[in-house]
Amino acid sequence: MSRPGRAFHYDRVQRGFHWLMAALILVALALGVYAAWQVPGTSPRRELLDIHKSIGLTVLLLLPLRVVYRLIAGEPAYRSAPSRHAHIAATLAHLTLYALMLFLPISGYVYSAAGGYGLPWFGVFSFPRLVPVDKALSQAGDGAHYWIGWGFGIVLGLHLLAVAWHAWIRRDEVMGRMWPRGDARPV
Ligand code: HEM
Ligand code: HEM
């Protein structure tokens, strides 16, 4: 929560995590949806899914670093505090995004690992298979990945709508917290 004397924007590391992971997730979403339309076992579905998995597992590895850093660095102060309800709603939405960033790649991992499929990282190495090869488990992972993927798309859409509303309609400081302009410094 806001502490006096702190900056009004997320620091470089937090912004780096936010924008890098946002870019990775948007690319992973696009590749996942596109690959899901292709016939299994054909090219380029296989190649696109290898990139999709590599990006998704990168997100999974970055997430604990981001969360630990976030817990240490905290949240920037507001220049003009939002209402209690707005702040609770934003916090809940952000927590949901964190949960989705965890469970979406995990469900994809379970789907692929239990299905006996590859777990590549950009052709450099393969991730270990930590679950047994099991058709029912793989199908459960597939179903979870599909529905969590939809849930992610919806919550992300709301996040983007909220950001757009703050940036273009209310024209308040919210966008500047993640994209600081020169004036977003402590006064
Ligand atoms: C996959 C994409 C994205 C994910 C998973 C995501 C997730 C998050 C999370 C978890 C936070 C809260 C940060 C924290 O307090 O720890 C946040 C904040 C924010 N995000 Fe995103 N985001 C994504 C994309 C975007 C995009 C594309 C934009 C802008 C167009 C954006 C703009 C913002 C802004 C302005 C904040 C700061 C809100 C505030 O604290 O007042 N995000 N995002
Ligand atoms: C940020 C991480 C991830 C995001 C945003 C994401 C998103 C998606 C989406 C939206 C789909 C399309 C779902 C459908 O219409 O069936 C998909 C498909 C898929 N994902 Fe992911 N995913 C992520 C991580 C992973 C990981 C880590 C793996 C495996 C290691 C994985 C494996 C797959 C596979 C194999 C498909 C194809 C599903 C099918 O055709 O039935 N995903 N993903």
Side-chain angles (χ1 to χ4, degrees):
M1 308 305 125
S2 346
R3 277 177 254 152
R6 296 179 64 226
F8 293 114
H9 55 80
Y10 289 93
D11 70 21
R12 265 175 217 282
V13 178
Q14 286 174 308
R15 275 154 25 222
F17 273 127
H18 179 273
W19 293 115
L20 173 65
M21 289 176 72
L24 290 174
I25 290 167
L26 290 174
V27 174
L29 269 173
L31 288 177
V33 170
Y34 185 72
W37 287 342
Q38 315 285 309
V39 179
T42 59
S43 185
R45 175 181 150 102
R46 211 176 311 143
E47 294 78 7
L48 292 178
L49 277 179
D50 280 352
I51 303 172
H52 174 81
K53 294 176 193 179
S54 305
I55 296 176
L57 291 169
T58 306
V59 169
L60 187 60
L61 292 181
L62 288 173
L63 187 67
L65 303 177
R66 176 172 179 182
V67 169
V68 168
Y69 190 86
R70 170 69 169 82
L71 292 173
I72 295 169
E75 187 189 31
Y78 284 96
R79 282 172 184 279
S80 61
S83 75
R84 210 173 108 77
H85 286 109
H87 194 231
I88 290 173
T91 305
L92 285 179
H94 295 158
L95 284 174
T96 309
L97 281 167
Y98 280 115
L100 290 165
M101 283 191 273
L102 177 66
F103 291 115
L104 189 51
I106 286 183
S107 59
Y109 175 90
V110 170
Y111 170 26
S112 296
Y117 302 110
L119 298 164
W121 193 78
F122 300 108
V124 179
F125 65 87
S126 280
F127 286 89
R129 198 177 304 280
L130 301 174
V131 294
V133 174
D134 177 329
K135 200 168 173 222
L137 183 62
S138 176
Q139 278 174 350
D142 183 10
H145 199 58
Y146 177 82
W147 288 111
I148 299 172
W150 268 102
F152 194 95
I154 291 168
V155 180
L156 180 61
L158 292 175
H159 182 59
L160 298 186
L161 280 177
V163 170
W165 182 71
H166 283 289
W168 292 322
I169 296 176
R170 283 204 60 181
R171 295 173 182 270
D172 62 16
E173 61 182 296
V174 165
M175 191 63 188
R177 286 160 62 77
M178 202 49 96
W179 192 284
R181 298 169 301 269
D183 65 345
R185 305 258 157 217
V187 282

